[in-house]
Amino acid sequence: MSRLTIWDATRTEKLLVTEDAARIADELRAIGVRFERWPRADLPADADAEAILAAYRPHLDAFLAATGAGTADVIKLTPDHPMKDAMRAKFLSEHTHTEDEVRFFHSGTGNFVLHVEGKVFDAHCGPGDLISVPANSKHWFDAGTEPNFAVVRVFTDTTGWTPHYTGTDMAERFPAATA
Ligand SMILES: [Fe+2]
C-alpha cells in the first residue's frame, strides 16, 4: 500500500499521512514530483527483467515519449544479497543527482524521502507505483534492512545517478517509514 507522510522539517509536527493515491499524487505534484499508478502485471515471482519490461511496455513507452528519457532496465534486490548493506548506505543520506530518479515498483516496497521547502515528504512506494524524483532535489532512499523489490529504472545517462551528498543529518533525523 502506498503511503505519504509529510513532516515539517523540524520534526515537531506531522502534517499529513495519507494512503490515497490521488492525494499522494496531488501533494507530490505540488513539489514537482511525478507519482502515478500503473496496473500491476501478473507475472511469476521469478520473472526476469525482459519479462517485466515487456509487461509494462505500453506504459513505459508512453512515459519515455512524454519525458524524453532514454531507456529503462530492471533492478532486483533481495535480503540475501551480499552487498545489500553497502547498497542501502549509498543512498541513505541526503543527496542530489543531476538526473531525474525514476522508479516503478513491480514488486516490493521502498521509500523515497524528499526535503523540500521546509518540509519532508516520505513516500512509501509499493507494487504499481511510479515515482520520479526531479534532478537536483534533496532526497534519500530506504528499503529497510531486508530489501526485497523488483523495480524498473528509467534513465538517460547512468552517470546522472551519482549521489552528491549534502552533508546534513536530515536522513538520520527522519528515518523512512519503511514498514
Ligand atoms: Fe537518489
Side-chain angles (χ1 to χ4, degrees), residues 90-91 93 95-97 99 101 103 112 133 137 139-141 161-163:
K90 188 173 179 186
F91 299 110
S93 295
H95 64 274
T96 63
H97 305 281
E99 181 161 307
E101 185 166 353
R103 299 290 183 270
F112 283 90
V133 175
S137 51
H139 70 279
W140 51 99
F141 174 77
W161 285 337
T162 305

Side-chain angles (χ1 to χ4, degrees), residues 75-91 144-147 149:
I75 184 164
K76 291 183 178 184
L77 194 55
T78 50
D80 60 357
H81 194 292
M83 296 292 288
K84 65 171 182 172
D85 293 337
M87 292 167 81
R88 182 181 186 222
K90 188 173 179 186
F91 299 110
T145 54
E146 301 294 312
F149 56 73

